[in-house]
Amino acid sequence: QVQLVESGGGLVQPGESLTLTCVASGTNFIANTLGWWRQTPGQQRELVARLTQGGAVEYGAFVKDRFTISNGDAKNAVTLQMNSLTSEDTAKYYCAFQGVISGYGFQELWGPGTQVTVDS
């Protein structure tokens, strides 16, 4: 049993920055991958950035060096620094977990989502 706690969403103007944090909490689990996907109404979720415990990172093509994903202060946490935001970045952002949970085996989980709105 793992909970994904998301924070950092909000309203910003174009060109500004925002930081999202996701913390996976629970007992007896190993998070192999933590990352962020985003979704706008009527669209599929798309990868923003993800980080594995082995250190591999992957970004969505739209990122264009604007975003950086890194380990958070907590062991099972990830921070996404988003810079140079535009209105096209407006979406609901979801933290995603991939790992092993004791008693359940391999699991993929989604957080509840946090809204990011970029509007002038």
Side-chain angles (χ1 to χ4, degrees), residues 47-102:
L47 172 69
V48 180
R50 59 185 171 190
L51 173 67
T52 72
Q53 293 298 324
V57 298
E58 183 179 0
Y59 295 99
F62 63 87
V63 169
K64 299 178 181 178
D65 297 324
R66 298 179 299 136
F67 301 171
T68 302
I69 191 168
S70 60
N71 290 318
D73 292 336
K75 179 177 176 60
N76 296 302
V78 66
T79 296
L80 178 67
Q81 176 67 46
M82 303 188 293
N83 301 317
S84 302
L85 290 165
T86 75
S87 61
E88 295 180 352
D89 295 311
T90 296
K92 195 168 187 179
Y93 286 67
Y94 296 86
C95 180
F97 165 96
Q98 183 187 81
V100 177
I101 304 173
S102 181

Side-chain angles (χ1 to χ4, degrees), residues 1 11 13-14 30 33 41 57 60 87 95 97-98 103-104 106 109 112 118:
Q1 297 182 0
L11 173 65
Q13 294 183 327
I30 299 174
T33 301
V57 298
S87 61
C95 180
F97 165 96
Q98 183 187 81
Y104 297 90
F106 175 82
L109 302 174
V118 185

